[in-house]
């Protein structure tokens, strides 16, 4: 028996982690993951060949980000996610909250800008077009908190609590579109907060932390709403296959618990990354001040001391 025209059998055996992690899933995401790793590897290789360094930590982060997408979408988790709300919620949380953070820590935009060759003056190549896009009005709009936070929230409530979710789950194209949307929303939300790659002007670290915590509670509220519901709230999961041996309401409760628990994971990862960036920024600023003082013989401090001495002489 097929599910929603996807060509997937509904008569899956009861879910276990081993069964869920078997290879399978959507070829669209498999091709996308291979392509992403290939392009990133090409960029790193180009830098290495010309003698430029690229942090290993960024390489590892990006690879892990792609692998999390592969685990969520290129295994049997994708099949179980079509008939189990709890497994789908694991996919959603990974794709929208874990994968984007790891990908962004890999600084793919910075790598692209360094790897692409610059063309001659007055001409525009891929690198120049990317720079123009990063500083465009469009990018300022989609990276502004007034856009990113409502989009992040609406991707939960407007999707799951309306008929839109059932419509998208009714076709393979709709399901792919939904999962790509989750990934894109996560990237748009976390990109201005992380601040690893270049982009429009970003606020200070404290404001970025506030942006992070402004969106996270809504994930927790969404999870609590699912856990407290007295009946199934999503039509496509109302009647799970008998072969799974699960109850729709219990599965929904698990889905709500997963959404609630995952709201803490990205907060911790991003907070640690922001504190580390803040620390490194302060260190760079201190080194710049030290170099300036070495060059001018600490004239600024001498001028300040002279100013204090003049005030003291006036008071006598």
């Amino acid at each position: 028996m097929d599910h929603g025209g996807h060509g997937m059998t509904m008569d899956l055996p009861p879910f276990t982690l081993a069964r869920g992690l078997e290879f399978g899933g959507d070829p669209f995401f498999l091709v996308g993951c291979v392509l992403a790793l290939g392009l990133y590897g090409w960029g790193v290789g180009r830098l290495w060949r010309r003698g430029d360094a690229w942090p290993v930590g960024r390489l590892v982060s990006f690879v892990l980000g792609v692998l999390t997408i592969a685990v969520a979408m290129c295994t049997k988790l994708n099949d179980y996610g079509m008939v189990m709300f709890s497994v789908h919620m694991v996919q959603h949380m990974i794709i929208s909250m874990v994968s984007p953070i790891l990908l962004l820590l890999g600084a793919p935009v910075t790598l692209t800008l360094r790897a692409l060759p610059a063309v001659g003056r007055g001409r525009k190549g891929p690198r120049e077009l990317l720079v123009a896009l990063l500083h465009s009005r469009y990018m300022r709009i989609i990276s502004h908190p007034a856009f990113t936070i409502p989009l992040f929230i609406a991707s939960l409530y407007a999707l799951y609590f309306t008929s839109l979710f059932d419509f998208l789950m009714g076709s393979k194209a709709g399901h792919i579109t939904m999962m790509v949307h989750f990934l894109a929303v996560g990237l748009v939300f976390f990109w201005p907060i992380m601040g690893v790659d270049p982009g429009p002007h970003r606020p200070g670290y404290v404001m970025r932390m506030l942006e992070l915590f402004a969106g996270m509670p809504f994930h927790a509220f969404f999870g609590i709403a699912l856990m407290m519901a007295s009946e199934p709230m999503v039509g496509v999961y109302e009647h799970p296959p008998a072969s799974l041996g699960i109850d729709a309401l219990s599965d929904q409760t698990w889905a709500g618990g997963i959404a609630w628990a995952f709201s803490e994971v990205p907060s911790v990862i991003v907070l640690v990354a922001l504190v580390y960036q803040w620390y490194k920024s302060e260190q760079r600023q201190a080194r710049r001040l030290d170099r300036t003082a070495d060059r001018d013989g600490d004239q600024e401090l001498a001028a300040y001391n002279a100013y204090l001495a003049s005030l003291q002489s006036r008071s006598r």
Side-chain angles (χ1 to χ4, degrees):
M1 184 176 181
D2 291 343
H3 177 74
H6 285 59
M8 298 178 185
T9 178
M10 289 184 64
D11 295 325
L12 294 168
F15 177 80
T16 63
L17 184 59
R19 286 170 179 161
L21 293 179
E22 291 176 3
F23 180 75
D26 200 297
F28 175 87
F29 282 94
L30 179 60
V31 171
C33 288
V34 172
L35 186 61
L37 289 175
L39 289 173
Y40 195 92
W42 171 84
V44 174
R46 184 176 175 86
L47 294 187
W48 286 349
R49 283 193 298 272
R50 70 186 189 204
D52 292 342
W54 183 254
V56 175
R58 289 183 177 181
L59 173 61
V60 171
S61 293
F62 189 86
V63 171
L64 288 177
V66 174
L67 289 179
T68 56
I69 296 175
V71 167
M73 299 305 303
C74 303
T75 64
K76 292 294 184 181
L77 288 178
N78 199 46
D79 290 355
Y80 279 99
M82 301 302 300
V83 291
M84 292 180 65
F85 198 4
S86 57
V87 177
H88 167 82
M89 193 57 64
V90 170
Q91 289 180 283
H92 180 173
M93 295 297 108
I94 291 175
I95 288 288
S96 67
M97 302 179 77
V98 177
S99 303
I101 294 172
L102 292 171
L103 292 175
L104 291 169
L105 287 174
V109 176
T110 301
L111 177 62
T112 303
L113 291 173
R114 291 183 59 185
L116 288 175
V119 298
R121 181 175 297 181
R123 299 167 55 194
K124 288 188 176 181
R127 187 180 187 278
E128 288 71 25
L129 292 174
L130 178 57
V131 171
L133 175 63
L134 290 173
H135 294 90
S136 66
R137 178 179 298 180
Y138 168 77
M139 199 60 67
R140 287 196 299 269
I141 292 174
I142 69 168
S143 63
H144 195 279
F147 178 85
T148 60
I149 295 175
L151 179 66
F152 192 67
I153 297 169
S155 293
L156 285 174
Y157 295 89
L159 181 65
Y160 289 101
F161 294 162
T162 69
S163 59
L164 181 59
F165 183 81
D166 290 340
F167 171 76
L168 292 173
M169 290 288 283
S171 68
K172 184 174 183 179
H175 182 243
I176 291 174
T177 299
M178 178 172 57
M179 302 310 288
V180 170
H181 169 78
F182 290 153
L183 178 61
V185 168
L187 289 169
V188 168
F189 178 75
F190 288 110
W191 175 55
I193 295 175
M194 301 295 291
V196 177
D197 277 323
H201 175 71
R202 293 182 175 94
Y205 290 99
V206 174
M207 287 302 299
R208 279 192 255 168
M209 291 177 187
L210 292 177
E211 287 180 30
L212 171 66
F213 291 117
M216 289 301 105
F218 290 94
H219 258 269
F221 297 153
F222 169 75
I224 292 171
L226 291 178
M227 287 190 291
M228 295 184 64
S230 58
E231 59 183 17
M233 301 178 67
V234 180
V236 74
Y237 294 119
E238 281 184 349
H239 305 290
S243 62
L244 293 175
I246 61 172
D247 171 69
L249 189 58
S250 298
D251 188 49
Q252 178 174 282
T253 302
W254 273 102
I258 290 166
W260 172 76
F262 257 93
S263 65
E264 304 298 326
V265 175
S267 300
V268 173
I269 297 175
V270 175
L271 191 59
V272 170
L274 282 176
V275 170
Y276 178 75
Q277 290 176 32
W278 196 351
Y279 168 73
K280 297 294 287 185
S281 176
E282 292 295 323
Q283 279 195 325
R284 286 193 298 269
Q285 179 67 15
R287 286 195 295 268
R288 280 197 296 267
L289 292 175
D290 289 341
R291 287 194 297 267
T292 302
D294 291 340
R295 285 196 302 268
D296 61 18
D298 221 349
Q299 292 180 5
E300 185 177 348
L301 179 58
Y304 182 69
N305 288 333
Y307 171 71
L308 292 179
S310 66
L311 291 179
Q312 186 177 8
S313 63
R314 290 175 189 174
S315 64
R316 290 176 179 174

